Amino acid sequence: MVNEIVKAVAKKANLSEPIAQIAVDTALSMLKTKLPPALGSSLSAFLSADSGSGSGSHHNPLEDITGALGGLLGKK
């Protein structure tokens, strides 16, 4: 997932991929430190998930993220 983001940033900002990688890593690192711990760890899990594999039976970190956001907004 991160590689896809890096490629998109490189293309959109007309940057080399190594520079885009630094930009993405910096932005993600900052997000993880600013988000509540549950969201930060869910974001990490989501970004490290291999989007190519898909039996559908494994845990979906995106559900953790949306659940944590709902909790922050008062939803259970």
Side-chain angles (χ1 to χ4, degrees):
M1 175 62 84
V2 174
N3 289 336
E4 294 171 34
I5 296 169
V6 169
K7 289 179 189 296
V9 168
K11 183 177 180 180
K12 185 82 170 180
N14 196 27
L15 299 171
S16 67
E17 285 194 22
I19 298 299
Q21 181 73 53
I22 293 168
V24 169
D25 288 345
T26 301
L28 291 175
S29 176
M30 188 168 218
L31 271 174
K32 290 174 195 174
T33 62
K34 299 294 182 184
L35 290 172
L39 282 176
S41 62
S42 293
L43 178 63
S44 294
F46 175 72
L47 291 172
S48 66
D50 180 6
S51 60
S53 65
S55 65
S57 63
H58 62 282
H59 178 72
N60 183 357
L62 187 56
E63 291 174 3
D64 291 342
I65 294 170
T66 56
L69 279 173
L72 285 174
L73 300 173
K75 305 246 181 196
K76 294 277 177 176

